[in-house]
Amino acid sequence: EWTYPMRREMQEILPGLFLGPYSSAMKSKLPILQKHGITHIICIRQNIEANFIKPNFQQLFRYLVLDIADNPVENIIRFFPMVVLIFLGKVLVHGNAGISRSAAFVIAYIMETFGVKYRDAFAYVQERRFCINPNAGFVHQLQEYEAIYLAKLTIQMMSPLQIERSLSVHSGTTGSLKRTHEEEDDFGNMQVATAQNG
């Protein structure tokens, strides 16, 4: 049964995957982290929070520190592939309160790992940490991410022959997918010129 003070503690969302606030990764909580066998900590903060949200045990745990604001316009999808790679040990994911940013990453991980929709992943995480509430921009990106990871899963399940046939059908001919070196050089020069003018 969820009680309000539990928002200050970390909860185990999946075996070996914990979600919580920064207070669950403070120096006084080292015995609890060790008791649960934590090996990795993903610390999500923005630059202005770096003075008080920081890696406290760099000699004991592997850290991934992400500079992300809890802001609806912040692009978080770009970080999802990097975060998925670290879920190899026992991981604590925390932001400041363990409600918006860190919850969004745990939801994304569950969506991709189990092939579930945002709504189902959100409900699953919320059953274990009731106070989660990703901001509206993060929710929108997680819903967009659904299509991205489902397409990736579809491609992973296809054989190389199926992928080749699919590309041939969509492009008309396989040859049209290739560019000449001259076209690439022209395109490269165009980018440089655009960058200099912009």
Side-chain angles (χ1 to χ4, degrees), residues 70-86:
D70 188 5
N71 183 319
V73 299
E74 182 77 59
N75 175 356
I76 60 169
I77 287 180
R78 63 196 166 117
F79 293 107
F80 291 164
M82 184 190 317
V83 170
V84 167
L85 292 176
I86 205 171

Side-chain angles (χ1 to χ4, degrees), residues 6-125:
M6 291 171 73
R7 70 190 167 84
R8 293 191 190 95
E9 305 164 12
M10 65 182 187
Q11 282 78 40
E12 192 167 21
I13 307 301
L14 290 169
L17 170 57
F18 295 81
L19 170 61
Y22 174 61
S23 60
S24 64
M26 292 171 72
K27 289 183 177 171
S28 62
K29 300 295 169 100
L30 179 59
I32 295 169
L33 296 171
Q34 290 176 320
K35 184 182 98 178
H36 288 291
I38 299 297
T39 58
H40 295 66
I41 297 178
I42 300 176
C43 172
I44 305 170
R45 64 178 190 202
Q46 63 185 113
N47 280 339
I48 60 169
E49 298 172 308
N51 290 334
F52 63 93
I53 299 177
K54 55 189 170 209
N56 288 316
F57 312 105
Q58 288 183 301
Q59 70 284 5
L60 298 174
F61 307 116
R62 293 192 62 191
Y63 275 84
L64 173 62
V65 179
L66 300 176
D67 180 21
I68 299 170
D70 188 5
N71 183 319
V73 299
E74 182 77 59
N75 175 356
I76 60 169
I77 287 180
R78 63 196 166 117
F79 293 107
F80 291 164
M82 184 190 317
V83 170
V84 167
L85 292 176
I86 205 171
F87 287 105
L88 300 172
K90 287 198 170 184
V91 184
L92 165 62
V93 184
H94 76 77
N96 185 9
I99 290 173
S100 182
R101 290 172 288 192
S102 51
F105 278 90
V106 171
I107 290 167
Y109 174 74
I110 288 172
M111 287 169 64
E112 183 161 351
T113 303
F114 299 100
V116 297
K117 294 183 179 300
Y118 163 74
R119 184 179 60 246
D120 299 326
F122 175 87
Y124 181 87
V125 176

Side-chain angles (χ1 to χ4, degrees), residues 145-165:
Y145 191 57
E146 226 173 79
I148 295 168
Y149 79 79
L150 286 173
K152 202 187 325 178
L153 284 175
T154 303
I155 289 171
Q156 286 171 353
M157 290 175 9
M158 291 171 73
S159 71
L161 185 60
Q162 287 172 313
I163 293 170
E164 193 174 307
R165 281 190 192 136

Side-chain angles (χ1 to χ4, degrees), residues 114-147:
F114 299 100
V116 297
K117 294 183 179 300
Y118 163 74
R119 184 179 60 246
D120 299 326
F122 175 87
Y124 181 87
V125 176
Q126 192 178 47
E127 282 173 19
R128 286 145 186 85
R129 183 166 173 78
F130 188 72
C131 62
I132 68 163
N133 188 19
N135 73 47
F138 293 174
V139 169
H140 183 69
Q141 289 179 67
L142 286 162
Q143 290 167 333
E144 284 182 349
Y145 191 57
E146 226 173 79

